[in-house]
Amino acid sequence: MPAGPTESFDAKVMCRFLARLVGHFDRKIHLIVDRHSAHRSKAVRAWLAGHKDQIELHFLPSYSPELNPDELVNADLKRSLPHTHRARNQTELAAETRRFFHRRQRQPHIVRGYLGGPHVRYVLDENPLSF
């Protein structure tokens, strides 16, 4: 998620992410999230209450990694990290991760593929215009 390399993911970071996200779209966003405590916090619920026309969160069932497209992205990232040169510290790992996501930004066909599996197809089935 949007936390920096040394920043903990909490309600403050989530609210900042949501604010940035709604600023990029001119229609309502439906965001699928897991049940992380930051997603369910009072601060996030309060922020969402003030932005009902812009964004809505949809929660995955408890412990359902097979339904979470983020898990497919994480698996792709782990497979794509260089095997010959492992990151020796947090800075190197962050740089490798940024390179991976910059590559994926130029590869929308791969990103669409994350949503093609049988367990995550619901994302496209519910909103066929999303891609």
Side-chain angles (χ1 to χ4, degrees), residues 18 38 72 86 93 103:
L18 294 172
L72 299 174
R86 297 270 182 205
L93 181 60
R103 278 193 316 273

Side-chain angles (χ1 to χ4, degrees), residues 31-36 39-40 57-71 119-120 122-123:
L31 187 62
I32 301 166
V33 297
D34 60 19
R35 295 187 176 271
H36 188 283
H39 299 154
R40 298 177 287 112
L57 297 188
H58 301 276
F59 291 92
L60 290 168
S62 296
Y63 193 74
S64 54
E66 74 283 358
L67 299 176
N68 191 343
D70 284 352
E71 297 297 334
H119 295 298
V120 293
Y122 69 90
V123 174

